Amino acid sequence: MKILQGKVAIVTGASSGIGRASALLFAREGARLVVVARGEERLQALVSEITQAGGEAVAVISDVRDEDCAQAAVQVATEHYGGLDVAFNNAGTLGEMGPTPDLSLAGWRETLDINLTSAFLAAKYQVPAMRARGGGSLIFTSTFVGHTVGLPGAAAYAASKAGLLGLTRALAAEFGPEGIRVNALLPGGTDTPMARAMNGTPEAWAFVENLHALKRVASPEEQAQSALYLASDASSFTTGTALLVDGGVSITRA
């Protein structure tokens, strides 16, 4: 039996990278999906790929910074599929990078809005929908940056992603008695468009690979497998965790 059979799932940031790989995997494992992103063309292509393979998916083309986006995704899940069981809140940005004294306030706020405030807005609407189903699994994409490793020039990114861990733990404690599990996925280097943009030369890419104990970066599909674990009943006694899927970057010093 498919491990998400009968489940309804929201995946944000679904048009590329880890979000896209996770949406495809969740669909293959039986979930009915609401996929969320800003890029209409890529998101509709994802929906077509899922439906052509025999799955079910509906697109919500919106910006996770907007409260209307969070509300609409849950409304679509409820109206199309009858409820919500899983939410993988994966959308994120590197944001404005560089020396902290040079960061603009607008850049700081934009990074926090996309990476952290959007997670609060998502939970605000997802939790009541999961409560109505008698439980569920909420997942946020954080990172090792700001948790196990400090990187120069990444203050806004690190602060916003570390803030997700506090939110994860608070929600896990608050809603655990109602059967709602809340966890954070912390990827290491992963071969996504965002990572390629940040490390745009062969030398930079090789440097990043060497930081990891496995001496390589992950594929989006590898990260999707860990998201699937957190989404499924395989993790039924797992909540409030920061799940490092980082190829050993957090423990490597050579």
Side-chain angles (χ1 to χ4, degrees), residues 97-210:
M97 308 287 281
T100 300
D102 297 337
L103 289 182
S104 68
L105 181 57
W108 171 270
R109 285 175 171 163
E110 180 181 57
T111 305
L112 265 68
D113 282 348
I114 295 172
N115 290 347
L116 182 56
T117 304
S118 71
F120 154 70
L121 293 172
K124 179 178 178 179
Y125 292 96
Q126 291 163 5
V127 165
M130 290 181 181
R131 180 188 285 141
R133 300 276 268 194
S137 175
L138 254 171
I139 309 161
F140 301 111
T141 299
S142 183
T143 178
F144 67 95
V145 178
H147 178 58
T148 60
V149 173
L151 292 181
Y157 178 69
S160 62
K161 290 292 192 176
L164 279 175
L165 301 182
L167 179 64
T168 294
R169 292 168 183 138
L171 294 174
E174 187 172 353
F175 299 108
E178 298 180 68
I180 298 172
R181 299 183 297 107
V182 189
N183 293 287
L185 177 69
L186 279 62
T190 305
D191 193 355
T192 65
M194 186 185 296
R196 288 285 180 178
M198 188 178 183
N199 305 283
T201 67
E203 295 77 16
W205 196 253
F207 175 79
V208 169
E209 289 181 320
N210 191 61

Side-chain angles (χ1 to χ4, degrees), residues 43-91:
L43 198 62
Q44 294 293 4
L46 171 65
V47 169
S48 295
E49 187 172 345
I50 289 170
T51 55
Q52 287 169 13
E56 297 182 66
V58 179
V60 173
I61 297 136
S62 191
D63 189 324
V64 294
R65 289 175 289 185
D66 298 333
E67 186 168 356
D68 288 348
C69 175
Q71 188 172 20
V74 172
Q75 185 174 348
V76 168
T78 302
E79 291 179 353
H80 280 258
Y81 302 129
L84 179 66
D85 303 292
V86 174
F88 184 23
N89 298 296
N90 166 73

